[in-house]
Amino acid sequence: VGNYKRTVKRIDDGHRLCNDLMNCIHERARIEKVYAQQLTEWAKRWKQLVEKGPQYGTVERAWCAFMSEAEKVSELHLEVKGSLMNEDFEKIKNWQKEAFHKQMMGGFKETKEAEDGFRKAQKPWAKKLKEVEAAKKAYHAACKEEKLAISRETNSKADPALNPEQLKKLQDKVERSKQDVLKTKEKYEKSLKELDNATPQYMENMEQVFEQCQQFEEKRLRFFREVLLEVQKHLDLSNVASYKNIYRELEQNIKTADAVEDLRWFRANQGPGMSMNWPQFEEWSADLNRTLSRREKKKASDGVTLTGINQTGDQVSQPNKHSSSLSVQSNTVQSVQSSYNPFEDEEDTGSTVSEKEDNKIKNVSSYEKNQSYPTDWSDEESNNPFSSTDANGDTNPFDEDTPPAMEVRVRALYDYEGQEQDELSFKAGDELTKMENEDEQGWCKGRLDNGQVGLYPANYVEPIQ
């Protein structure tokens, strides 16, 4: 009696399991979304790094194919997230709402119906069971009283001081006890027989209510199985044709990488195969000797920029360092390049020298793809990395430049975004090291804490006291 409550509790458990399954799917959908976002961010970042890096040709395209793969896979995982939330999650939510009906006083209608059904089916039998228990208790009490009366009678026969009248009373007590035992036993057997007769009907009624609960639970179990199969289909990308095509296309892009073709392209565009522009005699022009500031250089949109470099040994790893720039007005590139004499002294050309270093993108690549390799050079002994001094091992042409003796820590007053590769970028409040004092154009050379060296406006910082 009362054990049907386990079956009734299963109905409430079913409602809670629906919530658990929805939470499970919601968490998986959130994971899919985060993974998709991370793939997109990774692809965007590395695509920029590869495009700006020194890699070229078919191998570059093969490398970039991985970023395309990530973007496409990201889209698929966003679709998975949408399917989980818009289809599976909503399906469970709607089914739960239709299967379980809340009551005004709390609990679910289905739970109350099952509780009432079991209680109604069990009530008649439970009543008879209660009668059996009472008859059993009365019978056992009569048996105990009979045994006690017989014991008293037996003891009184051995007592000579007991008169016959008292002995007769004890004998009458024994007789009444035996009659009570017979009556209670008969009543006990009768109530037990009635209970046995009512048991089949009781079992049938209870079975009907239990079967109704089984059918209700069967609907939930089958529904859960159906939903889990749909979730599996949404998660299984191996059966999605577009997913297979992504990696088939990725494999094709990688296989199209051709080392011979890339070397041929580099020879034609960056090597001996590129078009030459040999020096030719040109008349002297006053425009060539005009010194331009950094600001004037930026405004010269219709001119041609030549970049010079002193090719000492340490410039092998840093192409744009110690470069001189001059911008000239000319009708043709050929005439300007031909008129420039690399053997002129620096004082004659009036060019200004500034320190430059490549802007490293997140410490991955130290080269820019479209960087200009200057043509200025000098045959002076001090600038020749293969001079006799270097050959004797006194200096290493690949050593880093010796930093200036005087360095000052400064703090940025304003945000500044570098406009060129040799300029630093920083935020207001950032600290950096000033390596050289302000030049004529108001620029200083400095070094960030991450090691990047470049130029910045002198009036954007203040010394740290």
Side-chain angles (χ1 to χ4, degrees):
V1 175
N3 281 338
Y4 61 82
K5 293 185 180 296
R6 294 174 296 184
T7 304
V8 175
K9 182 177 179 295
R10 189 176 61 175
I11 298 176
D12 295 334
D13 291 341
H15 184 273
R16 190 179 71 251
L17 288 171
C18 288
N19 290 332
D20 292 342
L21 184 56
M22 285 190 290
N23 290 334
C24 178
I25 293 176
H26 182 265
E27 287 186 15
R28 178 58 185 266
R30 187 166 62 246
I31 292 173
E32 295 288 336
K33 179 181 178 181
V34 172
Y35 178 55
Q37 291 174 341
Q38 290 177 341
L39 279 179
T40 302
E41 293 172 359
W42 175 86
K44 181 179 179 180
R45 174 174 175 266
W46 276 97
K47 190 173 184 180
Q48 292 177 350
L49 292 174
V50 173
E51 289 177 350
K52 294 182 179 180
Q55 185 58 57
Y56 57 90
T58 58
V59 174
E60 179 195 356
R61 290 195 292 271
W63 192 344
C64 289
F66 281 98
M67 277 62 89
S68 299
E69 171 265 344
E71 292 172 347
K72 295 176 182 177
V73 172
S74 173
E75 294 177 359
L76 289 179
H77 281 279
L78 284 178
E79 292 179 2
V80 171
K81 176 256 179 185
S83 298
L84 292 176
M85 292 303 299
N86 299 331
E87 298 180 25
D88 302 330
F89 185 90
E90 290 297 324
K91 187 173 184 178
I92 301 172
K93 184 178 179 181
N94 294 332
W95 185 89
Q96 182 191 44
K97 188 176 181 180
E98 294 175 359
F100 298 90
H101 301 84
K102 289 187 177 182
Q103 297 185 118
M104 294 287 292
M105 302 301 293
F108 299 103
K109 176 183 176 182
E110 290 72 22
T111 304
K112 188 176 185 304
E113 289 178 351
E115 178 82 27
D116 293 343
F118 278 117
R119 188 184 294 110
K120 183 178 180 180
Q122 198 172 70
K123 187 175 182 180
W125 190 85
K127 182 178 181 180
K128 293 184 180 299
L129 178 63
K130 190 175 182 180
E131 294 174 356
V132 169
E133 293 293 335
K136 174 185 173 183
K137 185 177 181 181
Y139 169 68
H140 287 175
C143 291
K144 182 178 179 181
E145 188 67 25
E146 180 191 23
K147 183 178 180 181
L148 184 60
I150 293 175
S151 177
R152 288 175 180 174
E153 181 191 13
T154 304
N155 293 333
S156 65
K157 290 179 180 179
D159 188 3
L162 194 66
N163 55 40
E165 186 178 354
Q166 291 176 332
L167 182 60
K168 190 171 186 311
K169 286 182 179 180
L170 291 175
Q171 291 175 349
D172 292 341
K173 181 70 172 176
V174 170
E175 189 66 24
R176 286 196 305 270
S177 298
K178 289 182 178 180
Q179 292 178 0
D180 289 342
V181 168
L182 292 176
K183 289 180 181 179
T184 54
K185 183 179 180 181
E186 181 181 358
K187 188 176 181 180
Y188 180 30
E189 290 176 345
K190 181 181 178 181
S191 61
L192 191 59
K193 186 176 181 180
E194 291 177 355
L195 182 67
D196 290 341
N197 293 335
T199 297
Q201 184 64 38
Y202 160 69
M203 292 180 63
E204 182 180 350
N205 295 339
M206 292 291 286
E207 186 79 21
Q208 290 179 353
V209 181
F210 181 78
E211 190 61 30
Q212 292 175 358
C213 294
Q214 287 288 82
Q215 293 176 2
F216 184 81
E217 179 67 6
E218 182 183 10
K219 291 179 181 179
R220 187 191 68 82
L221 294 175
R222 291 186 180 278
F223 173 74
F224 269 42
R225 181 178 183 275
E226 176 186 347
V227 170
L228 292 175
L229 281 175
E230 292 182 3
V231 171
Q232 179 267 332
K233 292 179 181 178
H234 292 149
L235 294 177
D236 185 9
L237 295 178
S238 62
N239 291 327
V240 179
S242 58
Y243 189 74
K244 296 179 180 179
N245 292 335
I246 290 174
Y247 292 99
R248 190 179 298 113
E249 182 180 348
L250 176 61
E251 180 182 6
Q252 293 174 353
N253 287 330
I254 296 175
K255 288 182 176 180
T256 55
D258 188 348
V260 175
E261 176 62 26
D262 288 354
L263 294 175
R264 185 184 298 115
W265 177 90
F266 192 87
R267 177 183 179 85
N269 292 274
Q270 305 290 342
M274 63 187 299
S275 60
M276 299 298 180
N277 194 4
W278 302 109
Q280 297 179 9
F281 180 80
E282 292 288 338
E283 289 294 341
W284 176 85
S285 174
D287 291 337
L288 287 175
N289 292 330
R290 185 164 60 91
T291 301
L292 299 180
S293 66
R294 292 177 58 84
R295 295 305 175 200
E296 291 174 327
K297 179 186 70 174
K298 291 181 180 179
K299 295 178 181 179
S301 59
D302 56 346
V304 179
T305 301
L306 298 180
T307 307
I309 184 170
N310 295 328
Q311 294 185 346
T312 58
D314 61 339
Q315 271 70 48
V316 175
S317 62
Q318 297 180 354
N320 284 343
K321 219 167 185 183
H322 297 296
S323 63
S324 61
S325 302
L326 86 100
S327 180
V328 298
Q329 305 292 333
S330 176
N331 292 329
T332 62
V333 177
Q334 179 178 359
S335 62
V336 175
Q337 291 178 338
S338 299
S339 63
Y340 176 66
N341 187 354
F343 293 91
E344 288 182 341
D345 293 336
E346 191 170 315
E347 296 177 357
D348 295 337
T349 60
S351 60
T352 59
V353 179
S354 62
E355 286 282 332
K356 289 191 177 181
E357 180 173 308
D358 289 332
N359 183 20
K360 300 178 181 61
I361 303 178
K362 296 190 178 180
N363 298 327
V364 174
S365 175
S366 60
Y367 290 89
E368 289 290 340
K369 176 170 295 185
N370 296 325
Q371 60 186 341
S372 59
Y373 289 84
T375 58
D376 189 15
W377 61 285
S378 172
D379 61 349
E380 294 181 3
E381 194 73 12
S382 60
N383 291 328
N384 188 352
F386 302 102
S387 62
S388 58
T389 305
D390 294 341
N392 293 332
D394 293 340
T395 60
N396 186 352
F398 297 98
D399 283 342
E400 294 291 339
D401 288 344
T402 304
M406 297 298 295
E407 294 185 350
V408 180
R409 293 290 289 176
V410 295
R411 181 184 294 106
L413 296 173
Y414 319 102
D415 294 350
Y416 182 73
E417 186 73 23
Q419 303 299 315
E420 296 186 3
Q421 296 179 10
D422 62 338
E423 295 180 8
L424 299 178
S425 297
F426 47 75
K427 300 290 184 181
D430 291 351
E431 295 183 3
L432 58 151
T433 301
K434 182 174 76 171
M435 302 173 63
E436 291 184 3
N437 291 329
E438 179 179 355
D439 59 15
E440 297 178 356
Q441 285 77 34
W443 293 83
C444 289
K445 178 183 177 183
R447 180 178 65 248
L448 298 177
D449 290 342
N450 62 5
Q452 182 181 349
V453 179
L455 302 177
Y456 63 87
N459 57 353
Y460 272 57
V461 301
E462 65 176 357
I464 298 178
Q465 301 299 330

